[in-house]
Amino acid sequence: MIIFLLYLMETFQHLSSLNGYVIFLLLATISTGSACEAPSSPLCFRQDEDKNVYICEWDFNTNETEVTFDLYFNDSSEIAYNDKIGDIKENHIELGDERLIVASRVDMWVKARAGKSICTSPIWSGTLEHTVKYEPPQNINVSWLRNDLSLSWESKYPSLAEVWFRKDHTESWEKRLMNTTNKAPIQILLVVNLLKNTAYQVQIRQRSIQAANPLWSDWSPVVTVPAEFEQPPLVRSTTTLLNGTRQVNLTWERMPQAAAVTGVTYIVDVTQSSLGCPCNTVGRTGKKKSHNTKLNRYTVYVSYSAANITVTARNAAGLSPPAVVHVPAASAPDLKTCDETMLDKKLKNDVCLEFYELQDADLIPERVWCLTSKNKTSKTKEIKHNMKDYTRYLYFEHKSEGGKPQTRKMCLYYKKEGVPSKEPQNFMTVSDTHDSADLTWKQISYEHLRGFLTHYKLCTVKINSQSKPPECINISASATKHHLKNLTPATKYNVTLAGVTQTGEGPVAMESFTTLREKPFNVWISFGLLLGFFLFSIFCTVVLKRIKSKVFPPVPKPVMPDFSLRPPESEEMWERKEEVHEVTLHRLIPDQKPVSEATVLKGEWDDEAGRQVEKDGCCSGESDDERSSVASGDDTLRKADLKGLEQVETELAMLIYRNGLVFDVKSESL
């Protein structure tokens, strides 16, 4: 078989046509008895128009572990079988242009040796220097321009790009073919008419528009494009004063899911003043202090001077608008003028000075100077030259303690101090009584103070007594009103008010007022009020006693008659001195015949008297005839009474009241 192949090679060595060469390959393939799958045709290309290195690659599927490849190439005008590169372990190889035929048309094929099998690929024909295949786009940057999506990646030359995109994993891919814009070494592609509040998936491939035989690059990795941030983070802050520093706790709401699909990083920047004073980064002059976090909260520390804190959200598509939190300078109500400063002293590396030019009461800086150990020499003279006389500055001394800025000193500073240039404004007096008056005014504006205001001087004088000196008092510098007392009724006064600094007294504001006349009926009103109070007290006392008697009635006391124990002259006289009061007997059954009250009482009394007489004998001195006559008369009455009582079928209750005592006598029959 080998002899036959050599014979065929010698036979076709003078054939220059491609048909003969194809017949030879066909015979060679049949002669090997290959059982493997043939590799794909080799592709040799440059990745850049300026490169002279070619990459040749092909595809081959096999289960064999040891596979080698032979790359054959020759000029299409003649067959040269000795132009090959053998024993290639991978399915690709990099070759310099000196080892290849690049300027003319060339035929190329690959033989794969997998075990005992030999497979030959189809032939590729073309000119290598015209074949360019770019690398797939890498490190793709995305950003939104309204509803247009901008894609960019590194590449030297403009290209034709094919973009596939979709909204989510369920929708199908959409394809767009467009040319890139070259801004060397960056290629920019603009995909228009998308929804910026929607997340997309994108993949790109490209090919040269300059080469005669361009090849499509491989696809880039799928890039997820988040939605654009339309609003800045909604930031809330709380400030806590600590020992010389302030702790600022920041919290914000999370961004929408479409914008946070690839993750969100929040950038927190701290600038100690509106002009970027480097005091917030002592030792790192001129650099902004930034912090990155993936949480929706962060804590920063600032000094007592004004600070701006910005929070910006960042995702793969770009940055959100910044949310700015302004932390004003700490307001101290008892600020004093500086006794001394470090303006003329040497500063340490961790010390920083700040001078704020102040124009209002809220301590908002209009102009700021910062001094550190690095710029003190060059800026000290500039600060002294630019500082104005009679202008108030807020002076800070900061020091870094454990990475946190601390304010060691805070006071008011004047390069040169003077008296106020204006009097207190809107000075008014109101007198609504005969002996007092109220004064009100507005504080002198800070631009007219020209010094540290120590107090106000208030003077009053009677107009009709000019010979007397005015009475003057000092009022707090923070006061805006005052109450005058102990004035004379129906008297006209002149009042003056002036602001006083450490240099002296400023212009005077003057007002006049007249107290009211004292009205005589005021005394009667006072007396009437006193009398009304007295009557009201009496009324309340009576009402309270009545209420007490209703709630707590008095307990009755038993009647104890006053009598003397003396022997009576006679028993008869003793009995006769007993007093019997009239007693009413109540009938229990109203339809019965009434019984004479006097009869019952008299019968009972006479019966008692008769028994007493019989017991005592003839002590009374009456005759027997008289006694018998009385007795017979009594018996007749008694019988009649008893007969009447027998007709009463119900019980009678008889009450006898004697000498203050009440007796209840119940009898079944009388």
Side-chain angles (χ1 to χ4, degrees):
M1 181 65 68
I2 296 174
I3 297 174
F4 177 73
L5 289 174
L6 292 175
Y7 172 76
L8 289 176
M9 291 172 63
E10 291 177 357
T11 304
F12 293 106
Q13 62 181 351
H14 299 291
L15 298 177
S16 58
S17 65
L18 181 59
N19 293 333
Y21 185 66
V22 171
I23 294 172
F24 164 75
L25 289 177
L26 178 61
L27 294 175
T29 302
I30 295 173
S31 65
T32 58
S34 174
C36 63
E37 182 180 352
S40 64
S41 300
L43 289 176
C44 293
F45 53 84
R46 293 180 295 170
Q47 291 185 322
D48 195 318
E49 282 85 346
D50 296 335
K51 290 184 178 180
N52 54 9
V53 176
Y54 288 80
I55 297 176
C56 297
E57 58 185 15
W58 54 90
D59 295 329
F60 180 67
N61 296 323
T62 183
N63 295 326
E64 296 290 339
T65 57
E66 294 184 2
V67 180
T68 59
F69 301 95
D70 296 332
L71 177 62
Y72 291 88
F73 55 92
N74 70 325
D75 195 332
S76 298
S77 60
E78 58 183 74
I79 300 176
Y81 296 102
N82 56 347
D83 293 342
K84 78 169 185 177
I85 299 173
D87 295 331
I88 303 172
K89 303 298 183 182
E90 303 291 339
N91 61 342
H92 58 83
I93 188 173
E94 290 187 7
L95 301 172
D97 55 0
E98 72 278 359
R99 300 183 61 183
L100 296 172
I101 302 172
V102 298
S104 59
R105 187 177 181 85
V106 66
D107 297 331
M108 302 185 67
W109 68 94
V110 174
K111 280 187 179 182
R113 300 180 183 273
K116 296 182 180 181
S117 301
I118 300 175
C119 302
T120 304
S121 70
I123 297 174
W124 177 88
S125 299
T127 305
L128 293 182
E129 68 177 0
H130 296 161
T131 305
V132 176
K133 180 182 178 181
Y134 288 157
E135 293 186 38
Q138 301 291 333
N139 301 323
I140 301 174
N141 295 318
V142 296
S143 62
W144 288 98
L145 301 174
R146 296 184 179 178
N147 286 326
D148 300 336
L149 179 61
S150 176
L151 307 172
S152 62
W153 61 91
E154 292 186 1
S155 181
K156 292 181 180 180
Y157 304 101
S159 60
L160 178 66
E162 184 178 1
V163 182
W164 283 22
F165 59 90
R166 62 182 178 182
K167 290 183 180 179
D168 51 42
H169 298 281
T170 59
E171 293 190 5
S172 59
W173 291 94
E174 294 184 38
K175 182 177 70 173
R176 291 190 186 179
L177 199 66
M178 60 194 71
N179 292 326
T180 63
T181 302
N182 182 19
K183 291 187 178 179
I186 303 297
Q187 299 300 315
I188 300 176
L189 186 66
L190 196 64
V191 184
V192 298
N193 297 329
L194 299 182
L195 300 176
K196 65 178 181 179
N197 56 357
T198 305
Y200 286 88
Q201 285 186 315
V202 177
Q203 60 179 355
I204 310 171
R205 66 176 183 175
Q206 61 180 342
R207 72 180 185 185
S208 173
I209 59 176
Q210 297 179 350
N213 184 28
L215 302 177
W216 281 109
S217 70
D218 295 332
W219 285 102
S220 69
V222 176
V223 177
T224 301
V225 182
E228 182 184 22
F229 293 118
E230 296 183 345
Q231 299 293 334
L234 182 59
V235 181
R236 295 178 293 272
S237 65
T238 57
T239 303
T240 305
L241 288 175
L242 302 178
N243 186 20
T245 187
R246 291 182 293 176
Q247 176 181 300
V248 183
N249 296 317
L250 304 171
T251 58
W252 53 84
E253 295 182 359
R254 296 189 180 275
M255 305 307 285
Q257 179 61 30
V261 65
T262 58
V264 179
T265 301
Y266 298 95
I267 305 171
V268 182
D269 293 327
V270 181
T271 305
Q272 197 63 40
S273 71
S274 59
L275 298 181
C277 183
C279 286
N280 64 315
T281 53
V282 176
R284 297 167 58 191
T285 303
K287 293 184 179 180
K288 186 181 291 185
K289 201 169 186 177
S290 298
H291 313 272
N292 295 335
T293 179
K294 294 185 179 298
L295 304 176
N296 63 332
R297 61 186 181 276
Y298 200 79
T299 300
V300 297
Y301 295 89
V302 297
S303 64
Y304 281 1
S305 60
N308 286 335
I309 303 173
T310 60
V311 180
T312 307
R314 180 178 63 192
N315 61 9
L319 300 174
S320 71
V324 181
V325 177
H326 178 70
V327 183
S331 179
D334 55 348
L335 281 180
K336 304 297 182 182
T337 54
C338 300
D339 50 356
E340 62 176 354
T341 64
M342 297 186 67
L343 186 59
D344 297 322
K345 297 180 180 180
K346 184 177 180 180
L347 298 180
K348 296 181 180 180
N349 291 333
D350 59 348
V351 176
C352 177
L353 307 181
E354 279 187 282
F355 290 89
Y356 284 16
E357 181 181 341
L358 300 177
Q359 297 295 336
D360 51 35
D362 294 331
L363 302 182
I364 299 176
E366 187 71 20
R367 190 174 181 183
V368 180
W369 286 290
C370 300
L371 284 178
T372 63
S373 59
K374 294 184 178 181
N375 66 359
K376 185 177 184 302
T377 304
S378 60
K379 278 202 170 185
T380 301
K381 293 182 180 180
E382 176 187 351
I383 292 176
K384 288 183 177 181
H385 176 73
N386 292 329
M387 275 187 174
K388 306 172 185 177
D389 294 338
Y390 315 122
T391 301
R392 184 182 61 147
Y393 294 91
L394 190 59
Y395 171 78
F396 291 100
E397 284 182 13
H398 304 306
K399 184 178 180 180
S400 179
E401 293 286 347
K404 300 177 183 178
Q406 283 192 333
T407 301
R408 300 191 305 180
K409 190 173 184 179
M410 178 180 177
C411 56
L412 294 176
Y413 176 79
Y414 285 91
K415 179 182 177 181
K416 184 178 180 180
E417 196 169 355
V419 298
S421 60
K422 274 193 175 183
E423 68 277 2
Q425 301 297 305
N426 297 339
F427 183 47
M428 294 185 298
T429 60
V430 178
S431 177
D432 53 1
T433 65
H434 64 281
D435 61 349
S436 66
D438 290 323
L439 308 177
T440 60
W441 64 91
K442 286 187 178 180
Q443 291 185 340
I444 304 174
S445 57
Y446 285 94
E447 62 268 22
H448 298 296
L449 282 177
R450 298 168 60 88
F452 184 76
L453 189 67
T454 58
H455 62 274
Y456 288 102
K457 184 178 180 181
L458 178 67
C459 298
T460 58
V461 62
K462 295 180 181 179
I463 293 180
N464 56 1
S465 58
Q466 297 293 342
S467 59
K468 292 184 179 181
E471 297 180 3
C472 297
I473 58 175
N474 294 333
I475 303 175
S476 171
S478 60
T480 57
K481 61 183 178 179
H482 185 72
H483 182 68
L484 288 175
K485 298 183 296 182
N486 302 324
L487 301 178
T488 304
T491 304
K492 190 173 183 179
Y493 286 88
N494 278 340
V495 185
T496 60
L497 182 68
V500 181
T501 65
Q502 294 180 354
T503 305
E505 180 180 337
V508 174
M510 180 180 294
E511 278 293 322
S512 299
F513 67 94
T514 303
T515 55
L516 302 177
R517 292 183 178 274
E518 186 176 8
K519 296 181 180 180
F521 67 85
N522 290 341
V523 178
W524 292 103
I525 291 176
S526 301
F527 178 75
L529 291 175
L530 183 61
L531 181 61
F533 177 74
F534 177 72
L535 295 176
F536 180 74
S537 301
I538 294 175
F539 174 76
C540 291
T541 303
V542 173
V543 170
L544 289 176
K545 284 186 176 181
R546 291 204 171 194
I547 293 175
K548 182 178 179 182
S549 65
K550 294 291 183 182
V551 177
F552 305 104
V555 179
K557 297 181 179 180
V559 178
M560 302 298 294
D562 187 14
F563 64 93
S564 59
L565 297 176
R566 60 182 180 84
E569 296 177 359
S570 65
E571 293 183 1
E572 182 180 2
M573 293 178 64
W574 180 263
E575 291 292 338
R576 287 181 180 178
K577 289 182 179 180
E578 183 178 20
E579 295 181 4
V580 178
H581 299 280
E582 185 178 355
V583 176
T584 302
L585 299 180
H586 298 277
R587 185 188 304 164
L588 297 179
I589 302 177
D591 56 353
Q592 295 295 329
K593 181 178 180 181
V595 179
S596 172
E597 299 171 0
T599 303
V600 175
L601 179 59
K602 186 175 183 299
E604 181 180 359
W605 174 249
D606 291 343
D607 187 50
E608 290 288 338
R611 285 195 298 270
Q612 184 68 25
V613 171
E614 290 176 358
K615 182 178 179 181
D616 297 339
C618 300
C619 297
S620 62
E622 296 178 350
S623 64
D624 295 337
D625 294 335
E626 292 174 351
R627 288 194 298 268
S628 61
S629 176
V630 172
S632 62
D634 293 339
D635 292 339
T636 304
L637 292 173
R638 193 178 296 116
K639 290 179 180 179
D641 294 336
L642 292 174
K643 184 178 181 180
L645 292 173
E646 290 176 356
Q647 297 177 2
V648 179
E649 296 179 359
T650 59
E651 294 182 354
L652 298 177
M654 180 175 64
L655 301 178
I656 301 176
Y657 183 83
R658 293 178 182 176
N659 291 339
L661 299 178
V662 179
F663 297 89
D664 184 6
V665 179
K666 294 183 179 180
S667 175
E668 295 181 359
S669 64
L670 297 177

